[in-house]
Amino acid sequence: MNLLQNKWNWLILAILPLTFTACKKDAATTPALNNKTTISVENVLNSSSLVESGTFQGTGTPPVILPGQSVSFRFSASIGQAVTFASMYGWSNDLFFAPANPGIALYDQNKKPIEGDVSSQIKLWDNGTRINQKPGSAVNHPGTAENNPVTEVNGTDAQGNNYLPASSLVKATLKYEGDSYFTLTLLNTSGGTTNETPLSPGVWAISYIAGGKLLNPAPIFTSGQPTANGLTQIAEAGNNAPLYTYIKSNTGIFTPLSPILVVVYNGIGNPIYNLGEKDRNEGLKDLAQQGNAAILAATLKGKPGVKNVYILPAPGSTVLLPVIGNQAGGSVSQELSVTKGDRIAIATMYGFSNDWFFASAGNGVDATQTADISSSIKLYDNGTAIDQFPGAGNSQFNLGGATASQSNPIAEVPNPNPFTTLPSINNIIKVKINVN
């Protein structure tokens, strides 16, 4: 189910079109210096394919959704993303409701949020692990085991049992709340029909999208393939715990890093930013919002005390990808000329954000040391764009949006933050000086 596995080559092609603005290595002209050192930067994030996921259930005991009852869940999503879910057709042997992959569309062709009745996108599926009985007769009777792939039940099943369209049994309604947030409500409308049934507790999920491609377009099942990862427990018994354990393990953080800005300086404070001050309008906003380091680099070259400025793209790519399956994250290194008293500061965009950037804390670090300096890197909010859920915000530049402006001081991003919990910074970006 996890399509990140063995998809490295495909993902490279998918993510390369990301609109980070890259620039070849550039250094200000300075006299030759005596000491040589090397700085290396690596994206060490153990990435996830799903940006959000969760569960839903009824309010009774047991927590099923009876005819006439409804359940809702809220999520954030960007353009091109879809929401999928699974819930058991309660009075069956192994049938479940779910959208066809990749899920319910959330934006139209004009990139406008979709609202209203989306029931037509709900389907009824046969898990393929139990021989079906007449609808309603399977209560407390698991039926005979079989070993077939997941298939859609379209009117009749393999045993000739009849079913109304799923849209006649479950009404799905989308409401757009603004700022990329949606609520999906599922109403059990099966009451009084020939297919009256409760709906079981369920699981929902949303895949990351990069380069216009969903990283995991089939988180729950694949039609025509054997069931897996705990779906059987939902389809046969309405137990959503095993599937959610699997889904949750694939939910978390995925972000590339933009080309790395490296500054060598002497006798001045950190030339990139000051914590608690607003953006200086010198190009940091372009780095933090779009991954474009060129404007800031050009500005810094003219500052007293700045000795060299570099922009470091990954070989053959414009971004540093995270760890994907068993493939290492992207890395880049650069030889530097430094002398006693020199300091180094770096900055790079948290790619799937509105205006977050990683940067050296305080006044950077001693450029002549030999050390892993990852602990000196912090994650900051540039304060120039309204934040959204990382990787699921419809105004994030690298997801095809246009950021909504604000004017706040630069501040460290809290962790956990209002949207998600991030790994520790040294589990996202690794920075070393003169260390192999």
Side-chain angles (χ1 to χ4, degrees), residues 18 208-210 254-256 350-354 389-391 396 398-399:
L18 280 173
Y208 277 100
I209 189 169
F254 179 100
T255 188
Y350 183 111
F352 284 172
S353 73
N354 297 78
F389 198 109
Q396 289 165 12
N398 288 302
L399 293 178

Side-chain angles (χ1 to χ4, degrees), residues 65-384:
I65 302 101
L66 297 172
Q69 296 181 341
S70 66
V71 66
S72 300
F73 54 90
R74 184 175 184 263
F75 55 89
S76 183
S78 186
I79 298 161
Q81 290 177 317
V83 61
T84 189
F85 70 88
S87 173
M88 180 187 183
Y89 179 121
W91 290 351
S92 74
N93 297 93
D94 67 341
L95 304 184
F96 65 96
F97 294 102
N101 287 319
I104 296 174
L106 301 170
Y107 294 86
D108 63 21
Q109 293 181 344
N110 297 318
K111 300 183 179 181
K112 301 297 183 183
I114 294 172
E115 292 193 272
D117 191 339
V118 291
S119 307
S120 62
Q121 297 184 58
I122 309 302
K123 309 294 181 184
L124 182 61
W125 303 88
D126 187 337
N127 193 55
T129 52
R130 296 286 173 179
I131 295 175
N132 297 318
Q133 296 170 292
K134 183 179 179 180
S137 66
V139 180
N140 297 322
H141 298 283
T144 304
E146 62 179 355
N147 187 19
N148 291 324
V150 175
T151 56
E152 183 181 353
V153 177
N154 194 1
T156 59
D157 60 22
Q159 287 70 41
N161 299 306
N162 296 319
Y163 300 88
L164 294 170
S167 58
S168 297
L169 307 176
V170 181
K171 182 178 181 180
T173 306
L174 271 178
K175 180 181 179 182
Y176 182 63
E177 300 178 7
D179 201 27
S180 79
Y181 280 99
F182 293 82
T183 294
L184 179 65
T185 298
L186 303 176
L187 172 65
N188 186 335
T189 57
S190 69
T193 73
T194 55
N195 295 120
E196 184 168 337
T197 183
L199 308 179
S200 77
V203 170
W204 62 270
I206 297 172
S207 171
Y208 277 100
I209 189 169
K213 301 288 186 180
L214 293 168
L215 301 189
N216 193 344
I220 294 177
F221 73 99
T222 300
S223 180
Q225 296 295 321
T227 185
N229 305 317
L231 178 58
T232 293
Q233 282 76 11
I234 280 189
E236 292 188 3
N239 178 7
N240 63 352
L243 178 59
Y244 184 57
T245 296
Y246 167 78
I247 291 293
K248 188 176 181 180
S249 72
N250 287 282
T251 304
I253 305 303
F254 179 100
T255 188
L257 304 177
S258 69
I260 315 298
L261 177 78
V262 179
V263 186
V264 179
Y265 56 100
N266 197 315
I268 58 173
N270 191 323
I272 298 174
Y273 75 100
N274 277 331
L275 189 65
E277 292 184 0
K278 291 186 178 181
D279 182 90
R280 299 168 181 170
N281 199 29
E282 295 179 341
L284 179 58
K285 179 178 75 172
D286 302 272
L287 182 150
Q289 291 188 13
Q290 302 179 13
N292 177 7
I295 297 172
L296 181 57
T299 302
L300 293 177
K301 288 177 188 177
K303 286 185 173 291
V306 173
K307 301 178 69 173
N308 283 289
V309 182
Y310 303 84
I311 301 174
L312 310 181
S317 175
T318 59
V319 298
L320 300 185
L321 298 177
V323 177
I324 303 169
N326 59 2
Q327 299 292 331
S331 63
V332 65
S333 62
Q334 173 64 44
E335 185 178 82
L336 308 174
S337 296
V338 297
T339 58
K340 183 178 181 180
D342 285 353
R343 303 193 70 79
I344 292 175
I346 75 160
T348 180
M349 181 187 182
Y350 183 111
F352 284 172
S353 73
N354 297 78
D355 67 339
W356 293 356
F357 66 100
F358 295 98
S360 302
N363 193 25
V365 297
D366 178 3
T368 63
Q369 65 182 304
T370 297
D372 182 328
I373 61 169
S374 304
S375 62
S376 71
I377 308 300
K378 305 294 183 183
L379 180 62
Y380 298 101
D381 184 339
N382 188 236
T384 54

